[in-house]
């Protein structure tokens, strides 16, 4: 008997008929699910936390290691590049080699890289550790999400689990700002890395006993990993982020930037051609024709762009423009995480009442309104304007939750790791672009590292991404009217 949820089994479509029929392990017993979900959520929290916990520590790292400002951003961007580029490979590896096995391997790699980063004495070692951290996270994240989507049957039960996953992710991203502020204020920036070590190793040690037998396809030993595809897509992501981050510094007509953009385009085309020829591609091109996966990935990309860039800009604004402490910086952004957590908890109930697509329209629009208000950031003193981060938290958590539900709905268990990889890839590529693009916009407009006019312009750019997400969600919720307008 297949591990596919009953609602997926009774629905037969051409796309599902074309998928390989590979047996899966049975979903875990209902009494074990809460403990398994708790372990998965702890790992997801740690991975998301690490993406933002470093933001508050960047000024301290810059001073202690004597790093130039244009090199500091690679502490964030290097993590995002390896994370985003390797997520699809990590997701497919979970499908083929076993979700529990890859979950444990990723946790160990992440914990050891965190130890190296916390002990680093020079910028090169620190950035290298961050890149390895990103690779470990790229294994953990899709394995964790696919463990949820294959352990809970499609419907209200899975939607509630995904809601918890989204809530934990949202609160983890913002908690990184708060915890980072506390650790930097009272200990050292090194603590933001070292705190991951005991958590990651403990989770890896407990996973075999709690998760049980890992899901693994029967034909996995005869199937080959698409290493060439992984190298091509990772190269494309790295070059795109490099071009975005250096375009303002070197000029968009700089030969280096032009070569990076052209090479990234060539790597993308080569990746797509390679996928059509490989017997077991990272991405079957037919999957991209599924509207749910396509719209969910697009929304996840736009979400990552505004979220990754916004957190970095607000952290630098509060410390460099308002001259606040790292602790105050974290606390000022904390309401965004609180509202995001609440939205993740209430999201499944709202989705049942109004539909997940309408929910996506409302949440993306809420984020766009929040960013519109933040274009009026004050030049001095704390302002009530900053309270609109709660609207952004609402929009971020709701969009994260909705995009996962939209993308995973109706997909076979054998492809859930890939779906998790694609959703997380889209978000992390967006975060990498946002972390490079928004500071570049701020610096270009302000003509300096600490100008409020540049921060306002960066918030406008983030708002445009949220507005685009609103349009995508509207199109997904009203496909018939969109087709009618196109025809006319």
């Amino acid at each position: 008997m297949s591990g596919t949820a009953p609602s997926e089994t009774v629905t037969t479509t051409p796309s599902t008929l074309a998928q390989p029929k590979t047996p899966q392990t049975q979903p875990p017993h209902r009494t074990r699910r809460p403990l398994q979900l708790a372990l998965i959520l702890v790992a997801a929290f740690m991975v998301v936390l690490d993406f933002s916990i470093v933001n508050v520590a960047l000024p301290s790292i810059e001073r202690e290691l004597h790093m130039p400002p244009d090199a500091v951003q690679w502490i964030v961007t290097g993590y995002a590049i390896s994370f985003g580029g390797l997520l699809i490979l990590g997701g497919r590896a979970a499908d083929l080699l076993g979700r529990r096995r890859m979950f444990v391997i990723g946790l160990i790699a992440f914990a050891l890289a965190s130890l190296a980063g916390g002990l680093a004495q020079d910028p090169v070692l620190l950035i290298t550790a961050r890149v390895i951290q990103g690779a470990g996270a790229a294994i953990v994240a899709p394995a964790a999400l696919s463990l949820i989507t294959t352990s809970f049957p499609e419907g209200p039960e899975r939607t509630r689990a995904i809601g918890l996953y989204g809530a934990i992710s949202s609160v983890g991203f913002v908690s990184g700002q708060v915890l980072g502020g506390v650790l930097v204020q009272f200990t050292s920036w090194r603590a933001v890395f070292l705190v991951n070590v005991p958590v990651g190793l403990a989770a890896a040690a407990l996973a075999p006993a709690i998760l049980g037998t890992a899901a693994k396809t029967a034909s996995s030993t005869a199937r080959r990993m698409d290493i060439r595809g992984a190298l091509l897509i990772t190269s494309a992501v790295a070059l795109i982020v490099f071009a975005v981050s250096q375009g303002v510094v070197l000029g968009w007509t700089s030969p280096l930037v032009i070569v990076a953009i052209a090479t990234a385009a060539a790597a993308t085309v080569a990746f797509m051609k390679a996928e059509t020829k490989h017997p077991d591609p990272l991405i079957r091109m037919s999957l991209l024709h599924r509207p749910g996966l396509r719209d969910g990935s697009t929304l996840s990309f736009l979400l990552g762009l505004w979220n990754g860039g916004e957190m970095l800009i607000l952290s630098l604004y509060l410390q460099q423009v308002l001259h606040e402490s790292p602790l105050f910086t974290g606390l000022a952004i904390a309401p965004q995480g609180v509202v995001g957590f609440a939205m993740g908890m209430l999201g499944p109930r709202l989705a049942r009442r109004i539909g997940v697509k309408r929910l996506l329209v409302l949440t993306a629009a809420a984020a766009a309104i929040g960013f519109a208000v933040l274009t009026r950031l004050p030049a001095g003193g704390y302002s009530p304007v900053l309270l609109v981060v709660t609207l952004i938290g609402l929009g971020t958590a709701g969009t994260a939750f909705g995009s996962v539900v939209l993308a995973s709905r109706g997909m076979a268990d054998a492809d859930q790791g890939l779906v998790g990889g694609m959703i997380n890839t889209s978000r992390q590529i967006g975060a990498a672009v946002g972390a490079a693009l928004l500071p570049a916009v701020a610096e270009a407009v302000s003509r300096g590292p600490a100008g409020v006019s540049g921060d306002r312009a960066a918030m406008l750019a983030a708002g445009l991404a949220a507005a685009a997400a609103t349009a995508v969600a509207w199109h997904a919720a009203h496909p018939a009217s969109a087709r009618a307008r196109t025809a006319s």
Side-chain angles (χ1 to χ4, degrees):
M1 178 178 176
S2 171
T4 305
S7 58
E8 295 174 9
T9 305
V10 297
T11 303
T12 303
T13 63
S15 60
T16 56
L17 287 173
Q19 294 167 348
K21 297 181 179 180
T22 53
Q24 305 286 320
T25 55
Q26 295 294 330
H29 194 273
R30 185 178 297 271
T31 57
R32 296 186 61 192
R33 285 176 182 165
L35 188 58
Q36 293 175 331
L37 181 60
L39 178 65
I40 293 168
L41 293 180
V42 166
F45 179 84
M46 182 184 67
V47 169
V48 175
L49 179 90
D50 200 72
F51 195 93
S52 61
I53 196 173
V54 178
N55 289 347
V56 177
L58 291 180
S60 299
I61 295 173
E62 181 180 349
R63 288 192 301 269
E64 182 171 328
L65 298 185
H66 307 291
M67 296 180 68
D70 57 343
V72 172
Q73 75 170 34
W74 285 97
I75 297 174
V76 175
T77 305
Y79 180 90
I81 288 173
S82 60
F83 192 3
L86 294 172
L87 273 164
I88 294 178
L89 179 62
R92 181 51 83 192
D95 287 333
L96 298 181
L97 304 179
R99 296 182 177 100
R100 188 195 69 183
R101 177 186 300 169
M102 299 310 297
F103 183 74
V104 172
I105 290 173
L107 284 171
I108 293 173
F110 187 88
L112 294 180
S114 298
L115 179 62
L119 300 178
Q121 298 295 327
D122 65 86
V124 174
L125 179 57
L126 178 57
I127 294 174
T128 301
R130 287 288 286 169
V131 171
I132 298 173
Q133 268 189 315
I139 299 173
V140 173
L145 186 54
S146 63
L147 281 167
I148 291 176
T149 54
T150 55
S151 299
F152 295 85
E154 185 171 334
E157 196 172 359
R158 181 187 293 181
T159 302
R160 283 194 297 271
I162 294 175
L164 281 170
Y165 180 86
I168 289 297
S169 297
S170 296
V171 76
F173 204 90
V174 179
S175 295
Q177 301 285 118
V178 180
L179 181 58
V182 171
L183 292 175
V184 173
Q185 184 84 11
F186 296 108
T187 59
S188 164
W189 64 264
R190 298 182 184 278
V192 304
F193 295 99
L194 297 177
V195 71
N196 296 320
V197 180
V199 178
L201 294 179
L206 293 172
I210 293 177
L211 296 180
T213 304
K216 181 176 178 180
T217 62
S219 60
S220 62
T221 55
R223 302 175 71 180
R224 295 184 292 123
M225 297 297 296
D226 185 8
I227 302 299
R228 180 175 63 172
L231 292 175
L232 286 171
I233 193 63
T234 302
S235 300
V237 173
L239 290 167
I240 289 170
V241 175
F242 173 82
V244 170
S245 63
Q246 298 301 308
V248 176
V249 178
L250 303 177
W252 293 104
T253 58
S254 166
L256 189 60
V257 173
I258 293 174
V259 168
I261 294 173
T263 308
T268 302
V269 172
F271 169 75
M272 297 182 69
K273 288 184 177 180
E275 296 306 275
T276 61
K277 297 178 180 178
H278 198 281
D280 295 302
L282 286 178
I283 303 176
R284 294 197 306 277
M285 293 296 108
S286 60
L287 290 178
L288 299 181
H289 296 296
R290 298 178 70 99
L293 183 59
R294 186 174 61 244
D295 292 338
S297 297
T298 303
L299 288 167
S300 190
F301 170 81
L302 293 169
L303 159 67
L305 194 156
W306 85 58
N307 197 213
E310 167 238 346
M311 287 292 183
L312 185 56
I313 290 295
L314 280 181
S315 177
L316 295 175
Y317 163 77
L318 287 166
Q319 292 184 75
Q320 295 181 350
V321 177
L322 301 187
H323 306 290
E324 301 290 355
S325 68
L327 177 59
F328 182 89
T329 297
L331 293 175
I333 302 174
Q336 182 170 338
V338 174
V339 173
F341 181 80
M343 182 63 211
M345 299 296 292
L346 296 175
R349 188 178 304 173
L350 291 174
R352 288 197 301 272
R353 180 168 297 182
I354 66 174
V356 68
K357 295 178 181 179
R358 291 189 180 92
L359 177 64
L360 282 165
V361 174
L362 294 176
T363 54
I369 294 170
F371 284 120
V373 176
L374 286 184
T375 58
R376 308 308 304 165
L377 283 172
Y382 186 84
S383 168
V385 167
L386 289 173
L387 292 176
V388 301
V389 296
T390 56
L391 274 179
I392 298 172
L394 175 73
T396 299
T399 305
F401 157 73
S403 62
V404 173
V405 174
L406 196 63
S408 62
R409 180 180 291 170
M411 297 292 290
D413 278 5
D415 288 320
Q416 289 294 346
L418 176 62
V419 170
M422 290 185 65
I423 287 294
N424 281 290
T425 295
S426 300
R427 181 166 182 171
Q428 297 310 321
I429 291 176
V433 173
L437 179 61
L438 266 61
V441 169
E443 186 172 352
V445 172
S446 65
R447 303 297 179 188
V452 69
S453 60
D455 295 330
R456 292 169 179 168
M459 290 302 165
L460 176 60
L464 292 175
T470 306
V472 172
W474 179 271
H475 180 275
H478 304 84
S481 59
R483 286 195 297 268
R485 286 193 299 270
T486 302
S488 63

